[in-house]
C-alpha cells in the first residue's frame, strides 16, 4: 500500500524541471522546441578541470572522503574567499557538500525547529521555499517587483522580522531575476540584521562569477554581520560543472559543525573525484572562465534588446546570472481562440504551445507578473526564440 509522508506530499515539484520535462516530451514528438527554462550553463566543463577529475580517478580517489570535504579543498576555498572576496575564514569553517542545494538543506536542518520563520526575498529560487517547509520552518516572503529592479524595500524587511525569525535568505546575483546587490544595498540589509544577532543570514552567492560589471559584493564583508552570515557557493554555475555536484558553505564555526553532523548521517560527504576537479577550478584564477561570462553578457544584451522591442513586454537589465525576468502582465486578460490568459503560468504554457519556446512562469519564484527566460543557449537559438515569443504573443488580443 502506498504511503507517502505529509512532508513529501506537501512539497511542490520543481517548476523548472517540470517545464523541461514538458518540452522534452514535445521534442520527442518531433516538435522543434527551444528550451530556455533550465538553470544550467550550456558550456562544457573546461578541459583543465576535467583533467583533474580524470587524474583523481587514475590516482584512486575512490574511498570515502572526510565528511566535510578534503582538507586541501577546504583550504583552497578559504584561500579563494581571501583572494576574491577579502574575507577571512579558517578551513574548519568550510563544509563541502553535494551541490549548493545540499549545503542549503544542511543549513535549514541545522538551524530550524518546527514553527521557526525564514524570511525569503522574492523573487526567490523555489528550492528555498520547499526546503524550509521540509525542515518544518515557515517561509515568510518579502516581495519586490520590476519597478525596484527586484530589490526589496528595507522597511518591509524590518516589518517581517518577528521573535520567531531564525533565518533570512537571498541570492545575489539572483536566480531568477539576475539582479546584483550593490555594496550599498547589502549595507542597508546588514544595518537592519545586525540589530538581530540571533538571526542567521544565508547569502547565496552561487552566481558570483557570472557578473557583468565584475564587482561581486558579499554581505559577509560587513563586520557587524559576519558572525551571523553563512555564504553558500559552489562550482556549478561559474565553472559549468552542474553535474559534478559540488557546493560549499563558509560559516560561523558552530554552524559549520552542525552541518558536518547532518551531512555525516545523510551523505557521508560528496564525490571524491568531483572534489579534486573542484579543487582545480577553485585554485585557479577566475580569469580562466572569463570567456563564458563575456559570452553571457553579449547574449544578455541581445535578449534584453529583443524582448524590449516586443509590445507589452518590459524587460529588466540584469547585471548577473544568465536569466532575464520580464514583466509580461500586460498580456493577462487577453485571449486567443476564446481562451483567456489569466496569469504568468498560463502565458508560459501559451508560449510553449504557440511559440514552441519553453520559459518558466514567475509564479514558481513567488512573482506573479513575470516569466523567467534563461539565455544559457546559443545566440542563434536566442534570436529565433525571441522571434517566436513575439509571434505567439501577437496572437493574443
Ligand atoms: C540560486 C541558486 N542557489 C543554489 C543552486 C544550487 O546549485 P547546485 O546544487 O548545482 O550547486 C542553484 C541552482 O540552480 C541556484 O539557482
Amino acid at each position: 500500500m502506498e504511503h507517502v509522508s505529509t512532508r513529501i506530499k506537501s512539497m511542490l515539484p520543481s517548476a523548472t524541471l517540470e517545464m523541461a520535462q514538458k518540452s522534452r516530451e514535445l521534442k520527442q514528438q518531433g516538435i522543434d522546441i527551444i528550451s530556455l527554462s533550465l538553470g544550467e550553463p550550456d558550456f562544457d566543463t573546461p578541459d583543465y578541470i576535467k583533467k583533474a577529475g580524470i587524474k583523481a580517478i587514475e590516482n584512486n580517489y575512490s574511498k570515502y572522503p572526510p565528511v566535510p570535504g578534503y582538507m586541501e579543498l577546504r583550504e583552497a576555498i578559504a584561500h579563494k574567499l581571501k583572494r576574491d572576496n577579502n574575507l577571512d575564514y579558517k578551513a574548519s569553517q568550510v563544509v563541502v557538500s553535494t551541490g549548493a542545494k545540499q549545503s542549503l538543506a544542511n543549513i535549514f536542518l541545522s538551524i530550524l525547529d518546527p514553527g521557526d520563520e525564514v524570511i525569503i526575498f522574492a523573487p526567490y529560487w523555489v528550492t528555498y521555499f520547499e526546503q524550509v517547509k521540509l525542515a518544518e520552518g515557515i517561509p515568510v516572503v518579502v516581495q519586490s517587483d520590476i519597478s525596484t529592479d527586484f530589490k526589496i524595500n528595507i522597511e518591509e524587511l524590518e516589518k517581517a522580522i518577528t521573535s520567531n525569525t531564525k533565518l533570512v535568505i537571498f541570492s545575489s546575483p539572483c536566480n531568477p531575476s539576475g539582479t546584483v546587490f550593490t555594496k550599498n544595498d547589502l549595507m542597508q540589509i546588514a544595518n537592519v540584521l545586525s540589530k538581530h544577532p540571533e538571526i542567521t543570514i544565508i547569502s547565496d552567492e552561487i552566481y558570483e562569477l557570472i557578473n557583468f560589471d565584475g564587482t561581486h559584493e558579499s554581505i559577509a564583508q560587513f563586520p557587524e554581520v559576519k558572525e551571523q552570515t553563512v555564504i553558500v557557493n559552489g562550482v556549478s554555475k561559474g565553472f559549468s560543472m552542474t553535474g559534478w555536484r559540488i557546493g560549499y558553505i563558509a560559516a560561523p564555526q558552530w554552524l559549520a559543525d552542525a552541518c558536518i553532523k547532518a551531512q555525516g548521517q545523510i551523505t557521508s560527504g560528496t564525490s571524491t573525484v568531483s572534489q579534486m576537479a573542484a579543487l582545480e577550478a577553485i585554485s585557479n584564477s577566475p580569469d580562466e572562465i572569463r570567456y563564458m561570462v563575456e559570452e553571457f553578457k553579449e547574449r544578455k544584451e541581445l535578449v534584453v534588446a529583443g524582448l524590449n522591442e516586443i509590445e507589452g513586454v518590459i524587460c529588466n537589465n540584469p547585471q548577473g546570472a544568465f536569466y532575464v525576468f520580464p514583466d509580461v502582465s500586460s498580456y493577462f486578460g487577453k485571449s486567443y481562440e476564446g481562451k483567456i490568459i489569466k496569469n504568468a503560468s498560463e502565458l508560459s504554457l501559451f508560449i510553449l504551445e504557440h511559440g514552441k519556446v519553453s520559459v518558466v512562469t514567475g509564479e514558481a519564484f513567488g512573482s506573479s507578473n513575470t516569466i523567467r527566460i534563461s539565455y544559457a543557449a546559443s545566440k542563434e537559438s536566442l534570436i529565433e526564440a525571441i522571434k517566436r515569443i513575439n509571434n505567439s504573443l501577437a496572437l493574443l488580443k
Side-chain angles (χ1 to χ4, degrees):
M1 199 175 93
E2 282 184 23
H3 189 81
V4 177
S5 68
T6 319
R7 185 177 282 125
I8 295 299
K9 269 196 225 143
S10 68
M11 201 176 190
L12 286 179
S14 156
T16 47
L17 296 183
E18 238 174 5
M19 203 57 177
Q21 177 59 25
K22 232 172 235 147
S23 54
R24 213 172 292 130
E25 282 164 18
L26 290 171
K27 274 185 194 165
Q28 272 160 5
Q29 294 166 25
I31 302 171
D32 155 41
I33 302 286
I34 302 177
S35 296
L36 303 182
S37 51
L38 258 192
E40 121 174 298
D42 53 324
F43 297 96
D44 290 327
T45 299
D47 281 343
Y48 69 100
I49 299 174
K50 286 198 282 201
K51 282 197 186 113
I54 293 166
K55 207 164 120 207
I57 296 175
E58 286 170 352
N59 289 343
N60 296 308
Y61 275 81
S62 49
K63 302 282 194 270
Y64 283 124
V67 171
Y70 286 116
M71 193 40 97
E72 293 162 83
L73 177 56
R74 295 165 80 199
E75 276 165 359
I77 292 167
H79 179 256
K80 170 251 174 282
L81 287 160
K82 186 71 189 166
R83 180 192 68 198
D84 301 347
N85 314 100
N86 197 25
L87 294 172
D88 289 302
Y89 284 96
K90 294 200 277 278
S92 65
Q93 295 176 269
V94 173
V95 184
V96 180
S97 300
T98 310
K101 207 172 214 174
Q102 196 212 344
S103 303
L104 288 162
N106 286 345
I107 298 168
F108 294 131
L109 291 172
S110 296
I111 292 191
L112 296 177
D113 282 318
D116 285 343
E117 292 172 8
V118 179
I119 296 178
I120 304 178
F121 293 9
Y124 48 76
W125 187 44
V126 71
T127 292
Y128 302 157
F129 206 92
E130 295 307 314
Q131 287 194 352
V132 167
K133 282 181 1 201
L134 199 60
E136 298 183 53
I138 300 172
V140 175
V141 174
V142 176
Q143 275 298 344
S144 71
D145 63 25
I146 201 163
S147 66
T148 55
D149 193 19
F150 300 106
K151 292 177 181 177
I152 57 135
N153 178 321
I154 287 296
E155 280 151 29
E156 284 179 26
L157 168 62
E158 271 183 307
K159 272 194 237 142
I161 296 171
T162 73
S163 56
N164 292 326
T165 309
K166 284 280 160 57
L167 284 164
V168 170
I169 182 166
F170 59 87
S171 61
S172 175
C174 173
N175 174 11
S177 66
T179 296
V180 174
F181 288 166
T182 62
K183 189 170 176 177
N184 188 43
D185 296 330
L186 294 167
M187 191 166 67
Q188 289 183 42
I189 298 167
N191 283 344
V192 171
L193 296 176
S194 61
K195 290 184 234 142
H196 302 272
E198 69 289 357
I199 298 177
T200 300
I201 307 165
I202 306 179
S203 175
D204 184 342
E205 303 179 21
I206 189 94
Y207 292 93
E208 170 183 13
L209 295 179
I210 308 173
N211 179 319
F212 306 131
D213 67 11
T215 48
H216 176 75
E217 303 284 352
S218 172
I219 195 165
Q221 71 187 280
F222 301 107
E224 61 273 30
V225 290
K226 169 130 189 281
E227 270 306 299
Q228 65 187 98
T229 299
V230 48
I231 293 177
V232 174
N233 205 331
V235 296
S236 288
K237 313 290 179 175
F239 298 96
S240 206
M241 292 177 70
T242 44
W244 297 78
R245 310 307 302 128
I246 296 286
Y248 62 84
I249 59 166
Q253 194 64 56
W254 63 269
L255 180 54
D257 292 344
C259 288
I260 296 167
K261 194 169 166 191
Q263 180 156 302
Q265 293 298 10
I266 298 175
T267 60
S268 301
T270 190
S271 155
T272 52
V273 173
S274 297
Q275 288 194 53
M276 285 298 116
L279 175 62
E280 186 67 20
I282 288 166
S283 305
N284 283 287
S285 158
D287 291 344
E288 296 284 341
I289 54 88
R290 198 70 218 162
Y291 65 95
M292 297 191 221
V293 184
E294 292 303 329
E295 176 67 21
F296 279 133
K297 187 176 180 193
E298 286 177 22
R299 293 177 190 172
K300 184 214 48 173
E301 276 154 17
L302 183 159
V303 169
V304 171
L307 288 170
N308 274 330
E309 271 178 28
I310 302 177
E311 206 191 313
V313 174
I314 308 166
C315 191
N316 61 332
N317 186 6
Q319 292 311 308
F322 39 74
Y323 311 103
V324 287
F325 205 50
D327 186 311
V328 288
S329 57
S330 71
Y331 285 92
F332 303 167
K334 294 194 175 181
S335 63
Y336 177 64
E337 292 182 340
K339 161 118 182 67
I340 300 175
I341 297 296
K342 290 193 288 298
N343 51 42
S345 300
E346 291 184 2
L347 191 67
S348 306
L349 289 172
F350 183 85
I351 293 172
L352 181 64
E353 193 182 337
H354 296 278
K356 312 281 180 259
V357 179
S358 77
V359 300
V360 187
T361 169
E363 286 171 343
F365 308 97
S367 170
S368 50
N369 290 340
T370 48
I371 53 174
R372 190 191 75 174
I373 301 177
S374 159
Y375 49 87
S378 70
K379 287 190 185 117
E380 298 73 57
S381 342
L382 292 169
I383 291 168
E384 174 62 21
I386 291 165
K387 211 186 300 165
R388 293 185 188 187
I389 293 173
N390 189 9
N391 292 343
S392 63
L393 292 178
L395 298 172
L396 291 167
K397 303 287 173 216

